[in-house]
Amino acid sequence: MAGDADGTKKNRFLIWGGNGWIAGHLKTLLEQQGKEVYATTVRMENREEVLAELKRIQPTHVLNAAGCTGRPNVDWCEDNKEATMRSNVIGTLNLADCCWLLNIHCTVFATGCIYQYDEAHPWDGPGFKETDPPNFAGSFYSMTKAHVEEILKQYSNCLILRLRMPVSDDLHPRNFVTKITKYEYVVDIPNSNTILTDLLPASVLLAEHGETGVYNFTNPGAISHNEVLTLFREIVRPSFTWKNFSLEEQAKVLKAGRSNCKLDTTKLETKLKEYGYEVPEVHEAYRRCFERMKAAGIE
Ligand SMILES: NC(=O)c1ccc[n+]([C@@H]2O[C@H](COP(=O)([O-])OP(=O)(O)OC[C@H]3O[C@@H](n4cnc5c(N)ncnc54)[C@H](OP(=O)(O)O)[C@@H]3O)[C@@H](O)[C@H]2O)c1
């Protein structure tokens, strides 16, 4: 185990899915914070290699940002079910299990795309809580994620963070904003979103404090596509225009369904308050995000 001269154990982070988008952001953040951080691309489902990597690097914390998300999008998972299961089910569980055996804390960057609005949870009503059973299996990707969470949450070393439609301060192709600015038509429906600049430091905080269990991991509140794009036009790109279409029209051009939902962030906000950390409401968070983009000269 990593240790200081005085014998206290120093945190050592190992990021899984090292070449991924969120993994890259995490690594940069931890380096900026002066933390000891490593990244790996070892396949999660390969038990021997996972155990060997954990024994070689001896992390105190694994941050699992690996997962099969499909390219160009989750529609890919519909036609590649075995590959999707090997990563999102077998691999994710295998990594958590190997960490448990070796007494390593394991944070899993999971998804909140396991819900859809229903009668008890309309868009202007209460959000889904961590304890609500998943009600969206419209895509194979979401189905694997919902099923694996049920088992994963029984591991006493696991912290499960449910991200939704992550947003970075640049226009990276995986940024939710980049995606909706490039679509020919966009739907207009409120959703919970994860602004990475606000939430990734919170993930480190929770991991460092050894927190476990499931957390909805988004900014508080929900924001519609049109609200996002209006703010984008106002702050980043005044010439921007877009066209809407209905959910029914969207369904015709997608292979798999897409989750639309609002998550309740009370549990997350309450926990983070213990550490003096606050996450801005989603509209305010977007405004700040777009202002950072503008300040960086992105247009
Ligand atoms: N971006 C989103 O919209 C979003 C939303 C909510 C949750 N998440 C979750 O957050 C995690 C990270 O997402 P991301 O956007 O950073 O995705 P990403 O850019 O596709 O990164 C995922 C990384 O995981 C690697 N990977 C896939 N299967 C693996 C396996 N079995 N073993 C080891 N590495 C594996 C991929 O490598 P290869 O390309 O070589 O396979 C890729 O480098 C994923 O689990 C995703 O489901 C993402």
Side-chain angles (χ1 to χ4, degrees):
M1 259 320 152
D4 275 350
D6 63 2
T8 56
K9 204 164 78 179
K10 191 165 160 270
N11 287 335
R12 180 180 291 173
F13 293 89
L14 175 57
I15 300 171
W16 227 277
N19 289 338
W21 177 54
I22 291 173
H25 280 281
L26 267 173
K27 187 151 187 289
T28 304
L29 172 69
L30 286 160
E31 283 168 354
Q32 282 167 353
Q33 292 181 344
K35 306 271 160 70
E36 189 180 1
V37 55
Y38 300 82
T40 184
T41 57
V42 162
R43 304 312 288 181
M44 292 185 288
E45 61 275 26
N46 188 330
R47 192 165 181 89
E48 292 71 29
E49 281 189 34
V50 167
L51 284 169
E53 189 75 337
L54 291 174
K55 286 175 185 163
R56 186 174 74 83
I57 295 184
Q58 301 198 8
T60 53
H61 296 78
V62 160
L63 303 177
N64 180 6
C68 180
T69 54
R71 288 291 188 275
N73 56 47
V74 293
D75 282 348
W76 183 91
C77 300
E78 301 296 314
D79 297 322
N80 295 275
K81 291 186 172 153
E82 289 84 359
T84 307
M85 288 187 289
R86 284 174 66 75
S87 291
N88 294 355
V89 181
I90 295 166
T92 306
L93 283 174
N94 183 53
L95 177 55
D97 185 63
C98 292
C99 287
W100 179 75
L101 283 176
L102 297 173
N103 198 24
I104 298 165
H105 187 272
C106 179
T107 300
V108 181
F109 288 82
T111 182
C113 288
I114 55 174
Y115 295 113
Q116 61 186 344
Y117 292 119
D118 61 15
E119 267 181 30
H121 305 87
W123 67 267
D124 54 353
F128 288 92
K129 289 190 191 314
E130 287 81 355
T131 46
D132 286 319
N135 70 347
F136 176 75
S139 74
F140 190 71
Y141 166 82
S142 289
M143 201 185 97
T144 59
K145 294 280 188 173
H147 278 302
V148 84
E149 190 195 277
E150 283 299 304
I151 303 293
L152 205 54
K153 70 184 185 191
Q154 309 297 334
Y155 273 96
S156 54
N157 60 325
C158 278
L159 169 67
I160 300 166
L161 305 176
R162 294 169 163 178
L163 284 73
R164 288 210 72 235
M165 301 171 164
V167 176
S168 52
D169 293 351
D170 52 20
L171 286 176
H172 187 280
R174 292 194 68 70
N175 179 348
F176 170 70
V177 174
T178 314
K179 289 182 187 173
I180 64 172
T181 57
K182 289 194 183 301
Y183 292 151
E184 192 177 356
Y185 295 96
V186 283
V187 291
D188 183 32
I189 182 156
N191 271 288
S192 292
N193 288 187
T194 300
I195 309 278
L196 293 175
T197 291
D198 300 322
L199 272 307
L200 289 188
S203 69
V204 176
L205 212 46
L206 294 174
E208 279 184 319
H209 283 88
E211 298 293 347
T212 56
V214 182
Y215 284 87
N216 289 337
F217 206 62
T218 66
N219 293 76
I223 188 165
S224 72
H225 296 66
N226 281 5
E227 286 176 303
V228 171
L229 294 174
T230 302
L231 271 175
F232 180 74
R233 181 179 60 194
E234 182 191 317
I235 302 170
V236 181
R237 192 182 299 166
S239 62
F240 185 71
T241 59
W242 70 94
K243 290 180 276 188
N244 286 126
F245 66 168
S246 65
L247 281 173
E248 293 71 29
E249 286 166 316
Q250 184 199 39
K252 288 183 200 155
V253 298
L254 298 177
K255 192 168 178 92
R258 298 293 191 273
S259 146
N260 289 293
C261 63
K262 180 169 78 177
L263 302 182
D264 184 308
T265 52
T266 311
K267 181 180 175 188
L268 177 70
E269 289 175 83
T270 308
K271 176 54 68 184
L272 289 176
K273 251 189 205 136
E274 287 177 23
Y275 306 124
Y277 192 88
E278 253 185 74
V279 181
E281 192 277 336
V282 70
H283 294 80
E284 175 58 23
Y286 259 111
R287 181 169 285 284
R288 294 185 199 173
C289 171
F290 288 150
E291 277 163 1
R292 288 190 295 269
M293 258 186 213
K294 192 178 179 203
I298 295 165
E299 51 190 43

mmCIF file of all heavy atoms in Angstrom, residues 16-17 19-22 42-45 65-69 71 87 109-111 141 145 163 166 174 179, ligand 1:
data_model
loop_
_atom_site.group_PDB
_atom_site.id
_atom_site.type_symbol
_atom_site.label_atom_id
_atom_site.label_comp_id
_atom_site.label_asym_id
_atom_site.label_seq_id
_atom_site.Cartn_x
_atom_site.Cartn_y
_atom_site.Cartn_z
ATOM 1 N N TRP A 16 -9.905 3.703 -14.215
ATOM 2 C CA TRP A 16 -10.115 2.638 -15.204
ATOM 3 C C TRP A 16 -10.813 3.219 -16.429
ATOM 4 O O TRP A 16 -11.641 4.109 -16.309
ATOM 5 C CB TRP A 16 -10.969 1.500 -14.622
ATOM 6 C CG TRP A 16 -10.334 0.184 -14.926
ATOM 7 C CD1 TRP A 16 -10.460 -0.527 -16.089
ATOM 8 C CD2 TRP A 16 -9.451 -0.562 -14.084
ATOM 9 N NE1 TRP A 16 -9.704 -1.670 -16.021
ATOM 10 C CE2 TRP A 16 -9.081 -1.721 -14.804
ATOM 11 C CE3 TRP A 16 -8.930 -0.352 -12.797
ATOM 12 C CZ2 TRP A 16 -8.228 -2.680 -14.279
ATOM 13 C CZ3 TRP A 16 -8.082 -1.297 -12.277
ATOM 14 C CH2 TRP A 16 -7.733 -2.454 -13.018
ATOM 15 N N GLY A 17 -10.445 2.691 -17.609
ATOM 16 C CA GLY A 17 -11.005 3.236 -18.867
ATOM 17 C C GLY A 17 -10.185 4.442 -19.288
ATOM 18 O O GLY A 17 -10.711 5.444 -19.767
ATOM 19 N N ASN A 19 -8.460 5.738 -21.552
ATOM 20 C CA ASN A 19 -8.531 6.560 -22.767
ATOM 21 C C ASN A 19 -9.882 7.236 -22.955
ATOM 22 O O ASN A 19 -10.105 7.900 -23.960
ATOM 23 C CB ASN A 19 -8.244 5.700 -24.016
ATOM 24 C CG ASN A 19 -6.781 5.290 -24.076
ATOM 25 O OD1 ASN A 19 -5.922 5.941 -23.464
ATOM 26 N ND2 ASN A 19 -6.493 4.208 -24.792
ATOM 27 N N GLY A 20 -10.781 7.067 -22.016
ATOM 28 C CA GLY A 20 -12.136 7.599 -22.177
ATOM 29 C C GLY A 20 -12.224 9.098 -21.901
ATOM 30 O O GLY A 20 -11.290 9.718 -21.384
ATOM 31 N N TRP A 21 -13.361 9.629 -22.280
ATOM 32 C CA TRP A 21 -13.589 11.082 -22.151
ATOM 33 C C TRP A 21 -13.642 11.522 -20.681
ATOM 34 O O TRP A 21 -12.884 12.413 -20.270
ATOM 35 C CB TRP A 21 -14.899 11.419 -22.879
ATOM 36 C CG TRP A 21 -15.322 12.833 -22.789
ATOM 37 C CD1 TRP A 21 -14.581 13.933 -23.132
ATOM 38 C CD2 TRP A 21 -16.587 13.323 -22.339
ATOM 39 N NE1 TRP A 21 -15.335 15.083 -22.921
ATOM 40 C CE2 TRP A 21 -16.564 14.731 -22.444
ATOM 41 C CE3 TRP A 21 -17.757 12.698 -21.862
ATOM 42 C CZ2 TRP A 21 -17.653 15.534 -22.083
ATOM 43 C CZ3 TRP A 21 -18.831 13.490 -21.521
ATOM 44 C CH2 TRP A 21 -18.776 14.887 -21.625
ATOM 45 N N ILE A 22 -14.491 10.896 -19.895
ATOM 46 C CA ILE A 22 -14.619 11.292 -18.481
ATOM 47 C C ILE A 22 -13.332 10.945 -17.729
ATOM 48 O O ILE A 22 -12.861 11.716 -16.883
ATOM 49 C CB ILE A 22 -15.870 10.640 -17.848
ATOM 50 C CG1 ILE A 22 -17.125 11.272 -18.471
ATOM 51 C CG2 ILE A 22 -15.878 10.806 -16.327
ATOM 52 C CD1 ILE A 22 -18.443 10.630 -18.095
ATOM 53 N N VAL A 42 -6.586 -1.643 -19.024
ATOM 54 C CA VAL A 42 -6.812 -3.096 -18.908
ATOM 55 C C VAL A 42 -8.309 -3.380 -19.007
ATOM 56 O O VAL A 42 -9.125 -2.659 -18.433
ATOM 57 C CB VAL A 42 -6.250 -3.605 -17.544
ATOM 58 C CG1 VAL A 42 -6.817 -4.969 -17.176
ATOM 59 C CG2 VAL A 42 -4.729 -3.656 -17.593
ATOM 60 N N ARG A 43 -8.682 -4.440 -19.749
ATOM 61 C CA ARG A 43 -10.111 -4.769 -19.906
ATOM 62 C C ARG A 43 -10.671 -5.269 -18.573
ATOM 63 O O ARG A 43 -10.113 -6.171 -17.941
ATOM 64 C CB ARG A 43 -10.321 -5.830 -20.989
ATOM 65 C CG ARG A 43 -9.759 -5.503 -22.348
ATOM 66 C CD ARG A 43 -10.103 -4.137 -22.867
ATOM 67 N NE ARG A 43 -11.485 -3.967 -23.286
ATOM 68 C CZ ARG A 43 -11.976 -2.832 -23.792
ATOM 69 N NH1 ARG A 43 -11.208 -1.768 -23.930
ATOM 70 N NH2 ARG A 43 -13.240 -2.753 -24.142
ATOM 71 N N MET A 44 -11.785 -4.694 -18.187
ATOM 72 C CA MET A 44 -12.357 -4.998 -16.870
ATOM 73 C C MET A 44 -12.777 -6.454 -16.712
ATOM 74 O O MET A 44 -12.826 -6.973 -15.595
ATOM 75 C CB MET A 44 -13.605 -4.149 -16.627
ATOM 76 C CG MET A 44 -13.373 -2.695 -16.457
ATOM 77 S SD MET A 44 -14.915 -1.849 -16.045
ATOM 78 C CE MET A 44 -15.790 -1.895 -17.591
ATOM 79 N N GLU A 45 -13.133 -7.103 -17.827
ATOM 80 C CA GLU A 45 -13.641 -8.469 -17.726
ATOM 81 C C GLU A 45 -12.517 -9.504 -17.622
ATOM 82 O O GLU A 45 -12.777 -10.682 -17.380
ATOM 83 C CB GLU A 45 -14.566 -8.803 -18.910
ATOM 84 C CG GLU A 45 -13.924 -8.739 -20.286
ATOM 85 C CD GLU A 45 -13.919 -7.336 -20.894
ATOM 86 O OE1 GLU A 45 -13.933 -6.345 -20.135
ATOM 87 O OE2 GLU A 45 -13.882 -7.237 -22.131
ATOM 88 N N ALA A 65 -14.216 4.642 -14.731
ATOM 89 C CA ALA A 65 -14.875 5.435 -15.783
ATOM 90 C C ALA A 65 -14.843 4.663 -17.100
ATOM 91 O O ALA A 65 -14.860 5.255 -18.174
ATOM 92 C CB ALA A 65 -14.191 6.790 -15.935
ATOM 93 N N ALA A 66 -14.782 3.331 -16.996
ATOM 94 C CA ALA A 66 -14.810 2.489 -18.192
ATOM 95 C C ALA A 66 -16.229 2.003 -18.419
ATOM 96 O O ALA A 66 -16.977 1.791 -17.478
ATOM 97 C CB ALA A 66 -13.878 1.296 -18.010
ATOM 98 N N GLY A 67 -16.565 1.833 -19.658
ATOM 99 C CA GLY A 67 -17.891 1.296 -19.961
ATOM 100 C C GLY A 67 -18.121 1.322 -21.447
ATOM 101 O O GLY A 67 -17.488 2.097 -22.166
ATOM 102 N N CYS A 68 -19.011 0.466 -21.880
ATOM 103 C CA CYS A 68 -19.330 0.410 -23.300
ATOM 104 C C CYS A 68 -20.495 1.359 -23.562
ATOM 105 O O CYS A 68 -21.604 1.143 -23.079
ATOM 106 C CB CYS A 68 -19.693 -1.031 -23.654
ATOM 107 S SG CYS A 68 -20.097 -1.205 -25.382
ATOM 108 N N THR A 69 -20.197 2.427 -24.299
ATOM 109 C CA THR A 69 -21.218 3.451 -24.541
ATOM 110 C C THR A 69 -21.690 3.435 -25.995
ATOM 111 O O THR A 69 -22.646 4.129 -26.333
ATOM 112 C CB THR A 69 -20.648 4.849 -24.210
ATOM 113 O OG1 THR A 69 -19.439 5.023 -24.948
ATOM 114 C CG2 THR A 69 -20.323 4.981 -22.741
ATOM 115 N N ARG A 71 -20.519 3.443 -30.311
ATOM 116 C CA ARG A 71 -20.105 4.501 -31.243
ATOM 117 C C ARG A 71 -20.875 4.322 -32.545
ATOM 118 O O ARG A 71 -20.949 3.190 -33.022
ATOM 119 C CB ARG A 71 -18.593 4.448 -31.527
ATOM 120 C CG ARG A 71 -17.703 4.888 -30.371
ATOM 121 C CD ARG A 71 -17.804 6.385 -30.074
ATOM 122 N NE ARG A 71 -16.797 6.805 -29.097
ATOM 123 C CZ ARG A 71 -16.911 6.733 -27.773
ATOM 124 N NH1 ARG A 71 -18.024 6.262 -27.246
ATOM 125 N NH2 ARG A 71 -15.937 7.154 -26.988
ATOM 126 N N SER A 87 -18.555 -5.686 -21.043
ATOM 127 C CA SER A 87 -18.036 -4.485 -20.383
ATOM 128 C C SER A 87 -18.937 -4.034 -19.233
ATOM 129 O O SER A 87 -18.494 -3.899 -18.090
ATOM 130 C CB SER A 87 -17.926 -3.334 -21.392
ATOM 131 O OG SER A 87 -16.904 -3.608 -22.312
ATOM 132 N N PHE A 109 -18.551 5.278 -12.236
ATOM 133 C CA PHE A 109 -19.240 6.347 -12.963
ATOM 134 C C PHE A 109 -20.354 5.690 -13.781
ATOM 135 O O PHE A 109 -20.124 5.174 -14.868
ATOM 136 C CB PHE A 109 -18.245 7.162 -13.796
ATOM 137 C CG PHE A 109 -17.390 8.009 -12.897
ATOM 138 C CD1 PHE A 109 -16.283 7.466 -12.253
ATOM 139 C CD2 PHE A 109 -17.745 9.312 -12.625
ATOM 140 C CE1 PHE A 109 -15.533 8.219 -11.364
ATOM 141 C CE2 PHE A 109 -16.998 10.079 -11.741
ATOM 142 C CZ PHE A 109 -15.888 9.534 -11.112
ATOM 143 N N ALA A 110 -21.532 5.689 -13.184
ATOM 144 C CA ALA A 110 -22.681 4.964 -13.727
ATOM 145 C C ALA A 110 -23.622 5.952 -14.403
ATOM 146 O O ALA A 110 -23.248 7.099 -14.673
ATOM 147 C CB ALA A 110 -23.367 4.224 -12.579
ATOM 148 N N THR A 111 -24.829 5.515 -14.674
ATOM 149 C CA THR A 111 -25.744 6.398 -15.395
ATOM 150 C C THR A 111 -27.112 6.506 -14.716
ATOM 151 O O THR A 111 -27.581 5.539 -14.098
ATOM 152 C CB THR A 111 -25.933 5.929 -16.857
ATOM 153 O OG1 THR A 111 -26.792 6.851 -17.520
ATOM 154 C CG2 THR A 111 -26.528 4.544 -16.937
ATOM 155 N N TYR A 141 -28.291 -0.647 -23.734
ATOM 156 C CA TYR A 141 -27.289 0.038 -22.898
ATOM 157 C C TYR A 141 -27.869 0.323 -21.507
ATOM 158 O O TYR A 141 -27.282 -0.055 -20.487
ATOM 159 C CB TYR A 141 -26.875 1.341 -23.594
ATOM 160 C CG TYR A 141 -26.108 2.314 -22.725
ATOM 161 C CD1 TYR A 141 -24.741 2.169 -22.530
ATOM 162 C CD2 TYR A 141 -26.754 3.381 -22.092
ATOM 163 C CE1 TYR A 141 -24.041 3.058 -21.727
ATOM 164 C CE2 TYR A 141 -26.057 4.275 -21.293
ATOM 165 C CZ TYR A 141 -24.703 4.107 -21.115
ATOM 166 O OH TYR A 141 -24.013 4.992 -20.309
ATOM 167 N N LYS A 145 -27.001 -1.267 -17.631
ATOM 168 C CA LYS A 145 -26.586 -0.385 -16.531
ATOM 169 C C LYS A 145 -27.527 -0.520 -15.327
ATOM 170 O O LYS A 145 -27.092 -0.503 -14.176
ATOM 171 C CB LYS A 145 -26.553 1.058 -17.017
ATOM 172 C CG LYS A 145 -25.480 1.333 -18.074
ATOM 173 C CD LYS A 145 -24.125 1.504 -17.433
ATOM 174 C CE LYS A 145 -23.081 1.959 -18.416
ATOM 175 N NZ LYS A 145 -21.801 2.277 -17.791
ATOM 176 N N LEU A 163 -24.496 9.550 -13.415
ATOM 177 C CA LEU A 163 -24.373 10.759 -14.241
ATOM 178 C C LEU A 163 -25.493 10.776 -15.284
ATOM 179 O O LEU A 163 -26.045 9.733 -15.632
ATOM 180 C CB LEU A 163 -23.029 10.768 -14.975
ATOM 181 C CG LEU A 163 -21.787 11.127 -14.161
ATOM 182 C CD1 LEU A 163 -21.383 10.013 -13.230
ATOM 183 C CD2 LEU A 163 -20.623 11.438 -15.092
ATOM 184 N N PRO A 166 -23.585 14.208 -19.557
ATOM 185 C CA PRO A 166 -22.482 15.028 -19.040
ATOM 186 C C PRO A 166 -22.097 16.174 -19.985
ATOM 187 O O PRO A 166 -22.150 16.028 -21.205
ATOM 188 C CB PRO A 166 -21.330 14.039 -18.907
ATOM 189 C CG PRO A 166 -21.905 12.692 -19.076
ATOM 190 C CD PRO A 166 -23.214 12.811 -19.764
ATOM 191 N N ARG A 174 -18.246 14.439 -27.214
ATOM 192 C CA ARG A 174 -19.062 13.689 -26.254
ATOM 193 C C ARG A 174 -19.860 14.597 -25.317
ATOM 194 O O ARG A 174 -20.719 14.117 -24.568
ATOM 195 C CB ARG A 174 -18.183 12.728 -25.438
ATOM 196 C CG ARG A 174 -17.642 11.612 -26.317
ATOM 197 C CD ARG A 174 -17.059 10.475 -25.537
ATOM 198 N NE ARG A 174 -18.027 9.707 -24.768
ATOM 199 C CZ ARG A 174 -18.952 8.909 -25.290
ATOM 200 N NH1 ARG A 174 -19.071 8.774 -26.584
ATOM 201 N NH2 ARG A 174 -19.771 8.226 -24.502
ATOM 202 N N LYS A 179 -23.410 17.633 -28.853
ATOM 203 C CA LYS A 179 -24.306 16.699 -29.562
ATOM 204 C C LYS A 179 -25.568 17.431 -30.012
ATOM 205 O O LYS A 179 -25.945 17.346 -31.177
ATOM 206 C CB LYS A 179 -24.691 15.530 -28.646
ATOM 207 C CG LYS A 179 -23.544 14.568 -28.367
ATOM 208 C CD LYS A 179 -24.028 13.428 -27.492
ATOM 209 C CE LYS A 179 -22.899 12.544 -27.035
ATOM 210 N NZ LYS A 179 -23.316 11.536 -26.052
HETATM 211 N N1 LIG B 1 -20.995 10.256 -21.803
HETATM 212 C C1 LIG B 1 -22.229 10.017 -21.375
HETATM 213 O O1 LIG B 1 -23.220 10.495 -21.968
HETATM 214 C C2 LIG B 1 -22.443 9.245 -20.100
HETATM 215 C C3 LIG B 1 -23.588 9.465 -19.366
HETATM 216 C C4 LIG B 1 -23.780 8.761 -18.198
HETATM 217 C C5 LIG B 1 -22.852 7.801 -17.823
HETATM 218 N N2 LIG B 1 -21.745 7.584 -18.577
HETATM 219 C C6 LIG B 1 -20.855 6.501 -18.172
HETATM 220 O O2 LIG B 1 -19.603 7.015 -17.789
HETATM 221 C C7 LIG B 1 -18.570 6.100 -18.168
HETATM 222 C C8 LIG B 1 -17.536 6.860 -18.983
HETATM 223 O O3 LIG B 1 -18.179 7.451 -20.100
HETATM 224 P P1 LIG B 1 -17.422 8.272 -21.219
HETATM 225 O O4 LIG B 1 -18.400 9.232 -21.767
HETATM 226 O O5 LIG B 1 -16.108 8.762 -20.723
HETATM 227 O O6 LIG B 1 -17.232 7.115 -22.303
HETATM 228 P P2 LIG B 1 -16.015 6.821 -23.296
HETATM 229 O O7 LIG B 1 -15.371 8.088 -23.767
HETATM 230 O O8 LIG B 1 -16.591 5.890 -24.310
HETATM 231 O O9 LIG B 1 -14.978 6.075 -22.379
HETATM 232 C C9 LIG B 1 -15.188 4.795 -21.930
HETATM 233 C C10 LIG B 1 -13.860 4.096 -21.915
HETATM 234 O O10 LIG B 1 -14.072 2.808 -21.343
HETATM 235 C C11 LIG B 1 -13.313 1.885 -22.093
HETATM 236 N N3 LIG B 1 -13.889 0.568 -21.958
HETATM 237 C C12 LIG B 1 -15.015 0.073 -22.503
HETATM 238 N N4 LIG B 1 -15.206 -1.174 -22.129
HETATM 239 C C13 LIG B 1 -14.169 -1.506 -21.341
HETATM 240 C C14 LIG B 1 -13.777 -2.669 -20.650
HETATM 241 N N5 LIG B 1 -14.523 -3.770 -20.703
HETATM 242 N N6 LIG B 1 -12.645 -2.640 -19.919
HETATM 243 C C15 LIG B 1 -11.877 -1.540 -19.858
HETATM 244 N N7 LIG B 1 -12.180 -0.392 -20.498
HETATM 245 C C16 LIG B 1 -13.314 -0.393 -21.231
HETATM 246 C C17 LIG B 1 -13.375 2.391 -23.515
HETATM 247 O O11 LIG B 1 -12.310 1.849 -24.229
HETATM 248 P P3 LIG B 1 -12.527 1.258 -25.703
HETATM 249 O O12 LIG B 1 -13.051 2.411 -26.516
HETATM 250 O O13 LIG B 1 -11.176 0.786 -26.074
HETATM 251 O O14 LIG B 1 -13.547 0.175 -25.571
HETATM 252 C C18 LIG B 1 -13.271 3.884 -23.315
HETATM 253 O O15 LIG B 1 -11.933 4.314 -23.335
HETATM 254 C C19 LIG B 1 -19.253 4.978 -18.946
HETATM 255 O O16 LIG B 1 -19.459 3.858 -18.131
HETATM 256 C C20 LIG B 1 -20.573 5.566 -19.328
HETATM 257 O O17 LIG B 1 -21.570 4.577 -19.458
HETATM 258 C C21 LIG B 1 -21.500 8.309 -19.695
#
